[in-house]
């Protein structure tokens, strides 16, 4: 059940990150979920290891969104479609 919640929250975070980033976006549904999940995991891990926040809380959700926005920007830099 835990992984189902990770996927659901990852999707929500990915969609929010996509909305915040704005512009025309060619990232698909699965990539959105993966970016959201990875952003959430990284933000949580970094924040907890640096002692910025406790193990649970609303700040994790905000940090997950920020992490996903950063990953989405990196994704677009690395995999920008070529101009034809």
């Amino acid at each position: 059940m835990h992984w189902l919640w990770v996927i659901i929250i990852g999707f929500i975070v990915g969609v929010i990150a996509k909305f915040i980033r704005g512009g025309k976006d060619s990232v698909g549904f699965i990539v959105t979920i993966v970016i959201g999940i990875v952003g959430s995991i990284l933000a949580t891990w970094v924040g907890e290891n640096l002692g910025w926040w406790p193990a649970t809380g609303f700040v994790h959700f905000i940090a997950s969104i920020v992490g996903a926005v950063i990953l989405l920007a990196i994704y677009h830099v690395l995999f920008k479609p070529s101009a034809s």
Side-chain angles (χ1 to χ4, degrees), residues 20-54:
I20 289 172
R21 189 175 177 285
K24 188 173 179 177
D25 203 359
S26 62
V27 177
F29 180 76
I30 300 298
V31 175
T32 298
I33 293 173
V34 170
I35 287 174
I37 291 170
V38 173
S40 180
I41 291 170
L42 286 175
T44 299
W45 183 79
V46 168
E48 287 179 3
N49 284 328
L50 293 177
W52 290 348
W53 50 74

Side-chain angles (χ1 to χ4, degrees), residues 53-73:
W53 50 74
T56 60
F58 182 70
V59 77
H60 276 241
F61 187 71
I62 300 301
S64 297
I65 293 170
V66 172
V69 168
I70 292 169
L71 287 179
L72 194 59

